[in-house]
Amino acid sequence: MKHLIAPSLLSADFMNLRQEVEMINHSEADWLHLDIMDGVFVPNISFGFPVLEGLKSICKKPMDVHLMIVEPGKFVHEVAETGAYMMNVHYEACTHLHRTIAAIKEAGMKAGVTLNPHTPVSLLEDIIQDVDMVLLMSVNPGYGGQKFIEHSVEKTRCLREMITRKGLNTLIEIDGGVNLETGKRLLEAGADILVAGSFVFKAPNPIKVIHDLKAL
Ligand code: DX5
Ligand code: ZN
């Protein structure tokens, strides 16, 4: 499968969100990645459901929602109401991950499980068959514009090996510090989807950057 690009709105100009989303609509981006933070699971607060609700009517790309919050299982209904395509919950935030994944699918969304940089891929052995996507964090979640953690390439390779070994078609998405150089290596290691925040939105020509990422 040709890889997908999911720009992260976290680095957009929040005073001009409509124009930023329209730019994404006109670009080669495949999904729009949306980072929800609660100031508890991560040391930052971003935006919440009212913003997602507003995006629902103007965003033409599937919404890939990344919840960096404690107890994300409590909000499955709210996320589904925003029309989200994919709901990603952190492995580290879910005591009953299997139950939460089942609820996400029951609500009509694709289910993604996210791993912090320190969480080993091997912990997915007994849940990977139930998820549509694994989102590997290649920075510590909470902020855009951080330095890429090198070990993420090896981790991507390890996850690809697990998916192949089990004969699954689970997608692999990578989030944090993605640019043309890290992106190329992640794709070679087996990534399917690249999230890019600051590399896209802080660029003079975001449409071209999305094109270049898509052309990798
Ligand atoms: C970080 C978020 C990312 C963030 C990535 O916690 O999950 O989606 O927007 O930003 P960059 O691409 O700038 O590292
Ligand atoms: Zn994210």
Side-chain angles (χ1 to χ4, degrees):
M1 158 191 132
K2 172 75 179 162
H3 67 271
L4 307 181
I5 301 301
S8 163
L9 198 70
L10 188 64
S11 292
D13 175 0
F14 286 179
M15 294 300 101
N16 289 297
L17 265 192
R18 181 182 288 273
Q19 288 95 311
E20 297 279 54
V21 174
E22 278 164 6
M23 179 278 288
I24 294 296
N25 285 343
H26 291 116
S27 76
E28 290 172 59
D30 297 281
W31 297 350
L32 180 61
H33 184 83
L34 297 155
D35 294 296
I36 312 296
M37 304 179 189
D38 66 354
V40 180
F41 183 71
V42 289
N44 196 9
I45 296 176
S46 55
F47 48 82
F49 300 121
V51 172
L52 294 191
E53 279 293 338
L55 293 173
K56 185 179 185 174
S57 59
I58 59 168
C59 181
K60 298 202 169 81
K61 309 280 178 170
M63 296 201 292
D64 176 34
V65 179
H66 175 194
L67 292 164
M68 282 160 275
I69 65 172
V70 296
E71 300 190 63
K74 283 185 179 169
F75 297 99
V76 173
H77 176 72
E78 283 79 354
V79 176
E81 283 291 294
T82 71
Y85 171 71
M86 175 80 72
M87 175 168 167
N88 298 286
V89 296
H90 270 260
Y91 178 93
E92 304 84 2
C94 295
T95 309
H96 302 287
L97 182 58
H98 184 274
R99 177 182 288 149
T100 302
I101 293 296
I104 293 171
K105 291 177 168 178
E106 185 73 18
M109 295 177 285
K110 299 279 185 195
V113 62
T114 310
L115 300 187
N116 273 334
H118 71 275
T119 305
V121 160
S122 57
L123 288 175
L124 297 174
E125 283 285 353
D126 295 304
I127 191 70
I128 193 156
Q129 69 283 350
D130 296 312
V131 301
D132 298 293
M133 187 171 85
V134 177
L135 169 53
L136 294 182
M137 291 310 301
S138 40
V139 297
N140 285 294
Y143 303 93
Q146 300 183 84
K147 190 177 178 315
F148 181 76
I149 297 172
E150 268 307 314
H151 181 65
S152 314
V153 178
E154 185 50 38
K155 213 168 157 182
T156 303
R157 212 170 273 128
C158 178
L159 178 57
R160 173 54 62 200
E161 190 276 323
M162 180 190 288
I163 292 168
T164 305
R165 168 166 51 82
K166 289 177 177 277
L168 300 170
N169 50 16
T170 323
L171 297 171
I172 303 178
E173 182 175 52
I174 317 290
D175 184 7
V178 169
N179 55 34
L180 292 176
E181 188 269 322
T182 55
K184 187 171 193 317
R185 288 191 288 131
L186 290 165
L187 293 174
E188 282 165 4
D192 298 297
I193 302 120
L194 300 175
V195 174
S198 50
F199 188 61
V200 167
F201 284 99
K202 303 297 185 204
N205 187 347
I207 295 266
K208 180 173 184 308
V209 169
I210 294 167
H211 171 83
D212 292 346
L213 284 166
K214 192 69 192 166
L216 277 176

